Amino acid sequence: MDTRFLGISDLSEAPSVAVVVDVMRAFTVAAWAFAQGAEKIVLAESLNEALALKAGHPDWVALKDGPPAPGFDLVNSPGLLRSVYLAGRTVVQKTTAGTVGALAVKEASLVLCAGFVVAEATARLLRTQNSDSVTFVVTGEDGQADEDLACAQYIALRATEAGTDAAEFLHRAAQSRAAAELAEGGRQGVHPDDVALCLEVDRFPFAMVAASEGSLMVLRPWGGSG
């Protein structure tokens, strides 16, 4: 399997298979939302679109990065989300990097969104595809986020070598700039457990597949149970 690791700005054409990685925290949060019962996640292009979708569907749950804001129900924190009951709900998610990365490859034939919490399920789905080429989109820090690159490299290895040890990759992620910033506790919309929750390998048994549904890009769980 030929693998490429690119930042969002490096994407010159739609890949055939894309794995969009945002460990801290968009796709850890998305996985927790499915674990808490969410049916689907709509990936919004902008905060205004997220609010418009929420206005048109008052029963939907809107989620954003950073501090709480009017019109939004939740913030992008796995530690805060894990106590929220979302059974059957639709979540609208807008984040700084993860949702942007997924929307950037929406023309791909297969788009997976991933973090460490769904690593094996993501690798397993890649194995079933027998894809010649997979592009991993490293969303954070304009493609330089080491937690995202470490996770992408780990999933790429797991897709071909099932026994790959996660320890080295988790260590890199734990030492990343994003982990340090979250651990400092100076940001709003952060729970003290966020870093630890983002570094739980294979916490959930499902992968997450994004696909166009009408005019929207929609993320759903695949395999396991959401």
Side-chain angles (χ1 to χ4, degrees), residues 93-115:
Q93 185 181 33
K94 169 67 180 88
T95 70
T96 306
T99 58
V100 176
L103 290 164
V105 293
K106 63 183 179 182
E107 302 302 325
S109 59
L110 176 65
V111 179
L112 307 181
C113 295

Side-chain angles (χ1 to χ4, degrees), residues 190-205:
V190 177
H191 188 279
D193 293 341
D194 278 357
V195 172
L197 292 172
C198 290
L199 299 180
E200 289 188 320
V201 179
D202 302 335
R203 172 71 188 246
F204 304 115

Side-chain angles (χ1 to χ4, degrees), residues 1-5 16-17 130-136 156 160:
M1 185 176 72
D2 177 50
T3 55
R4 297 188 302 163
F5 302 90
S16 57
V17 176
N130 295 317
S131 301
D132 293 331
S133 176
V134 177
T135 296
F136 288 84
T160 55

